[in-house]
Amino acid sequence: MRTRATTAALAALLLAALTACSTTDDGKRPTHPTPTKSASRAPSATADPARADLEKTVRAYTAAYFKPDVTTAYNLISARCKEQITKPGLGLLIDRAHQLSGDRAVKRFRINKFSGDMARVSYGVGLPRYDQHDQPWTREGGHWRYDAC
């Protein structure tokens, strides 16, 4: 009895798999699958101006961090972080990063969470030691600021 149920289930799966490989009207196999709604990708960050601005700011901050450009980097951190780190202190950090790794740019970027004036992003520059995961960013006065202090 159990063997019949298993055999029937396998047959149903095989039939489903075979019918998924459909042909076109002329009897030929399609060159690529037709996307379905469930297979569609999430909208890119650039589809929403606020998300696009966030990505642009993360990229600018990262470029300044590895340049090193302390003035630009410091201008892109939140007021809360400026209470915890001085411009000369940030300068020491980014000078060291530049010495160890040279100029770097964001190679991959993802917005993990986005709600109003708060966001969390993950990104990498090609060196695992500098990969950022779920890093907080905040919008102050209409501009995104690094908030991972």
Side-chain angles (χ1 to χ4, degrees), residues 5-50:
T6 304
T7 303
L10 286 173
L13 285 173
L14 181 58
L15 181 60
L18 289 174
T19 57
C21 298
S22 62
T23 59
T24 60
D25 290 339
D26 63 1
K28 296 180 182 176
R29 295 188 93 193
T31 56
H32 52 69
T34 304
T36 63
K37 283 186 178 182
S38 62
S40 65
R41 303 186 86 188
S44 71
T46 57
D48 176 359

Side-chain angles (χ1 to χ4, degrees), residues 63-111:
Y65 190 91
F66 287 101
K67 187 73 97 195
D69 178 352
V70 70
T71 300
T72 299
Y74 196 74
N75 287 336
L76 293 174
I77 67 174
S78 69
R80 186 179 73 82
C81 287
K82 287 179 180 176
E83 293 174 1
Q84 298 180 32
I85 188 167
T86 64
K87 189 174 179 179
L90 180 62
L92 291 172
L93 290 173
I94 69 176
D95 283 342
R96 180 78 173 145
H98 179 74
Q99 289 171 2
L100 292 173
S101 305
D103 285 355
R104 293 281 166 178
V106 173
K107 293 183 182 238
R108 60 178 175 70
F109 177 83
R110 183 179 75 230
I111 297 174

Side-chain angles (χ1 to χ4, degrees), residues 50 53-58 60-61 71-82 117-121 123 135-149:
D53 189 41
L54 172 61
E55 181 175 353
K56 180 181 173 184
T57 304
V58 170
Y61 174 79
T71 300
T72 299
Y74 196 74
N75 287 336
L76 293 174
I77 67 174
S78 69
R80 186 179 73 82
C81 287
K82 287 179 180 176
D117 290 338
M118 303 297 291
R120 290 194 170 266
V121 300
Y123 58 97
Q135 185 181 69
W137 285 73
T138 187
R139 193 166 25 196
E140 298 174 340
H143 302 284
W144 287 103
R145 300 290 182 241
Y146 168 89
D147 197 41
C149 48

